[in-house]
Amino acid sequence: MPAQAWHPSSWREKPIAQDVIYEDKAHLEKVLTKLRRLPPLVSPVEIDRLRAQLADVAAGKAFLLQGGDCAELFDDCSQDPIEHKLSLILLMSLIILHGSRLPVIRIARIAGQYAKPRSKPTEMKTKVEKKEVLSFRGDNVNGYEADDRAPDPERLLGAYFHSTATLNYIRTLLLSGFANLDKPLDWSFSHVRSPEIQKAFAAVIESLQDSLDFMKVATGKVGGGERGGTETVDLFTSHEALLLEYEEALTRGYTPDQPQSFSPTSTPALSRTNSRLRGVEESNGAYPHSPVRPPKSPKLSDSLQGLSMSVTELDKKPSPKYYNTSAHFIWIGDRTRQLDGAHAEYFRGIQNPIGVKVGPSMEPEEIARILDIVNPDRIPGKVTLIGRYGADKVDKFLPAHIDAVKKTDHPVVWQCDAMHGNTKSSKTDPNLKTRHFVDVITEITKSMEIHKEKGTILGGVHLELTGEVNDEGFSVTECIGGSMELEDKDLSFNYRTHCDPRLNYEQSLDVAFLLADYLKSKRRGEEPKDILLAGLRGRAARQ
């Protein structure tokens, strides 16, 4: 059976999970109308470039590093937080690049990650008296304080403008030489207090400087602006596409042979058919108004022939392709990937590369079905399967999921989200959520081993992390273990997240060295030595 016709609002005909209920529908529509008129945040050219690079990841020719905040806050749209996030991703990618000798595709959870799903729509809050309130769904939905939980449509505009400002500053930094490999120590590394990380990174820098010096002597310059060059890099944005009203408003039609033509989602292409037909007929003589030649009366057969030609030419005109211009890459969460749901319906019609979270609750046959829905044309680089199983479950569920995909002809990127399946409560303060570093690296290493056994490729990792530091230069304390040897009792020292716990600066670099060691050994055909992380496992396991 042919697939039902898709348009940017066809998701509205499907059941939707994690919906946000706005009391004032007129206010919501006013905001959405404004969003439809606002400029795109990213371009189809950038989106297509990312999809091509992800096709390299699927083929084992590149590595995907995706990371950032669990949920961005509007207050994070400031110079220092943006620079710290960017510098951390650059440092991690440099370490992985050095070990793997593969291009590293950098996708940040930034400039749009303002909404979060919740396991429950409400929660109990205690200030003066205990009361039930709506759950905090992110800054683009409601406020964190208990008395500010009503969904407010104006926050959607806030999300757009904060995303715009964040993206603008990222572009400014990258175009101003922030990613220049001649100056890696400028990427906010000086505050790192782990002696093991300092020593390991010093070795990377020494090797890098030798390579750069060789390039200067051999070529007379250090090149350039291209992907993998030393002066700038590609950095793409991403977020979970929860609020489909917002995503639809920023979905724009784009005709490949007319790069200047963006059509807003409120103007379906079919509504312009008659005017386009008339224009074609005019060009074929049905409406001759040439100021040079006097009009002549056409024969009926000539008129019918002209009409036939015009319809044929109209049929040949390419239909617009639709791009979500709010980010380069968006993903469907574990709670919203229902096969007959609104999110799957929306995702199947856009050109962006997309992610699909998969975990223990997903049956193997469901994976093949959702791949058929969101990527029926089997476009390489289109779909990234983001595994989020948990360290104690990955070896039980991942092999069957890999087998299910191998039975199809779908090209996918396999990615490991080692965060969301490993959330626990703090023993010291049960109100705090945390993650143990040993669980994070265990899930990553197990995933690597399983893919190796199956003959498939773990193409990348997806991490919740932050480069945020306090006024004294200390990283956040939200996850236990790692080279800083954080313990459960240390969590309250600099616990900042409003949602899920994130790897801090040092822990993120720990993961980067683990990945570099593995990819380096794979490149050389050796067993991973895991020199740095061997000790970290022991210390983390003792927490």
Side-chain angles (χ1 to χ4, degrees):
M1 293 292 292
Q4 182 180 359
W6 184 93
H7 51 88
S9 62
S10 59
W11 63 268
R12 296 175 182 269
E13 303 163 13
K14 302 283 186 175
I16 185 168
Q18 295 287 321
D19 196 16
V20 174
I21 307 300
Y22 296 93
E23 293 185 2
D24 191 338
K25 303 297 184 184
H27 188 186
L28 173 63
E29 185 54 37
K30 181 179 178 181
V31 167
L32 293 176
T33 299
K34 171 70 173 177
L35 285 170
R36 293 184 192 108
R37 293 199 298 261
L38 288 169
L41 292 178
V42 300
S43 75
V45 173
E46 294 171 328
I47 292 169
D48 288 342
R49 185 163 71 244
L50 173 59
R51 190 174 62 239
Q53 293 183 20
L54 289 174
D56 287 343
V57 175
K61 299 177 182 178
F63 188 83
L64 172 58
L65 173 64
Q66 186 170 7
D69 278 312
C70 165
E72 289 180 275
L73 300 177
F74 290 167
D75 287 345
D76 293 337
C77 184
S78 183
Q79 178 177 346
D80 287 347
I82 294 172
E83 289 184 3
H84 285 148
K85 294 172 190 176
L86 182 55
S87 67
L88 179 55
I89 290 177
L90 290 173
L91 282 169
M92 293 181 70
S93 64
L94 175 61
I95 293 167
I96 296 169
L97 173 65
H98 183 263
S100 67
R101 299 298 195 269
L102 290 172
V104 177
I105 313 306
R106 307 163 185 87
I107 303 180
R109 294 169 58 112
I110 200 169
Q113 181 59 10
Y114 294 115
K116 287 297 292 180
R118 285 306 195 199
S119 55
K120 297 180 180 178
T122 62
E123 62 182 351
M124 300 304 297
K125 282 290 184 181
T126 304
K127 224 174 190 181
V128 178
E129 59 179 318
K130 192 173 184 180
K131 65 174 182 178
E132 187 177 25
V133 298
L134 291 172
S135 296
F136 175 58
R137 295 291 304 276
D139 267 359
N140 63 350
V141 176
N142 52 10
Y144 184 72
E145 298 300 325
D147 58 356
D148 191 22
R149 294 296 176 86
D152 180 3
E154 291 294 326
R155 288 180 171 272
L156 297 176
L157 286 174
Y160 174 88
F161 288 113
H162 284 88
S163 297
T164 303
T166 300
L167 185 56
N168 180 65
Y169 189 52
I170 290 172
R171 293 188 193 276
T172 299
L173 287 171
L174 294 178
L175 290 173
S176 301
F178 189 81
N180 193 327
L181 290 186
D182 281 323
K183 302 181 295 183
L185 290 176
D186 291 344
W187 298 341
S188 302
F189 191 82
S190 58
H191 75 276
V192 174
R193 290 172 167 79
S194 166
E196 281 128 327
I197 293 291
Q198 289 282 6
K199 182 179 178 181
F201 189 70
V204 170
I205 294 301
E206 182 179 357
S207 175
L208 175 65
Q209 293 297 344
D210 283 346
S211 299
L212 291 177
D213 289 342
F214 173 79
M215 290 171 63
K216 290 177 182 178
V217 173
T219 66
K221 60 181 180 178
V222 181
E226 70 280 0
R227 188 178 103 187
T230 64
E231 295 175 6
T232 189
V233 298
D234 281 340
L235 186 130
F236 301 98
T237 62
S238 68
H239 62 260
E240 180 176 356
L242 270 176
L243 305 183
L244 293 182
E245 292 93 347
Y246 179 84
E247 308 300 339
E248 178 193 334
L250 287 168
T251 302
R252 309 293 164 87
Y254 172 77
T255 305
D257 61 348
Q258 295 177 315
Q260 75 282 3
S261 70
F262 269 112
S263 61
T265 57
S266 57
T267 308
L270 291 177
S271 69
R272 298 192 298 276
T273 300
N274 291 335
S275 62
R276 289 175 64 186
L277 178 59
R278 180 182 175 90
V280 173
E281 288 174 337
E282 287 177 346
S283 67
N284 282 281
Y287 297 91
H289 298 294
S290 169
V292 179
R293 296 180 181 176
K296 59 181 179 180
S297 301
K299 298 178 181 179
L300 178 61
S301 59
D302 292 339
S303 298
L304 292 175
Q305 182 181 13
L307 180 60
S308 175
M309 289 173 61
S310 68
V311 172
T312 301
E313 289 185 16
L314 179 63
D315 289 341
K316 290 181 179 179
K317 284 187 175 293
S319 300
K321 294 182 178 181
Y322 286 92
Y323 289 78
N324 181 311
T325 64
S326 70
H328 302 103
F329 180 100
I330 56 176
W331 72 86
I332 307 176
D334 193 53
R335 296 183 177 96
T336 55
R337 52 170 167 72
Q338 295 82 9
L339 297 176
D340 61 347
H343 288 81
E345 171 63 21
Y346 172 77
F347 273 72
R348 78 179 178 91
I350 58 174
Q351 298 297 309
N352 304 58
I354 63 172
V356 180
K357 289 287 187 88
V358 297
S361 63
M362 193 171 204
E363 295 296 331
E365 58 269 20
E366 285 185 81
I367 297 184
R369 292 176 63 191
I370 198 166
L371 288 174
D372 287 340
I373 292 170
V374 299
N375 190 23
D377 296 327
R378 275 67 169 168
I379 300 171
K382 169 73 174 181
V383 179
T384 296
L385 295 178
I386 311 170
R388 35 99 71 219
Y389 301 95
D392 58 343
K393 296 179 180 178
V394 62
D395 47 5
K396 178 180 179 182
F397 293 97
L398 177 57
H401 287 171
I402 293 174
D403 289 340
V405 175
K406 288 177 70 174
K407 291 178 182 177
T408 74
D409 56 352
H410 280 282
V412 301
V413 173
W414 286 101
Q415 191 182 36
C416 176
D417 171 1
M419 307 298 290
H420 285 90
N422 293 308
T423 306
K424 299 177 179 179
S425 296
S426 165
K427 295 179 181 179
T428 306
D429 183 357
N431 292 319
L432 295 181
K433 292 191 290 185
T434 189
R435 286 157 176 161
H436 292 217
F437 184 80
V438 64
D439 293 336
V440 172
I441 60 173
T442 296
E443 182 164 355
I444 292 173
T445 51
K446 280 187 176 181
S447 297
M448 290 173 173
E449 293 163 1
I450 292 169
H451 278 286
K452 183 178 179 181
E453 292 170 0
K454 291 289 183 179
T456 50
I457 300 168
L458 179 64
V461 292
H462 186 122
L463 304 168
E464 290 185 337
L465 50 82
T466 180
E468 189 176 354
V469 295
N470 63 13
D471 293 338
E472 290 77 36
F474 284 95
S475 299
V476 302
T477 54
E478 297 168 5
C479 295
I480 296 171
S483 60
M484 294 301 291
E485 302 189 46
L486 292 178
E487 300 180 22
D488 193 278
K489 62 182 177 61
D490 299 321
L491 293 177
S492 60
F493 173 71
N494 193 23
Y495 194 97
R496 295 194 173 195
T497 183
H498 284 71
C499 195
D500 290 338
R502 305 160 293 178
L503 297 174
N504 66 18
Y505 219 107
E506 289 83 0
Q507 292 164 335
S508 300
L509 296 179
D510 290 339
V511 173
F513 278 111
L514 165 72
L515 294 169
D517 178 62
Y518 174 83
L519 294 169
K520 179 180 178 180
S521 300
K522 180 181 178 182
R523 171 168 57 88
R524 294 179 172 179
E526 304 170 349
E527 287 298 315
K529 297 182 178 63
D530 199 12
I531 297 172
L532 178 68
L533 273 298
L536 296 178
R537 279 200 188 89
R539 287 201 294 275
R542 290 196 296 270
Q543 305 299 334

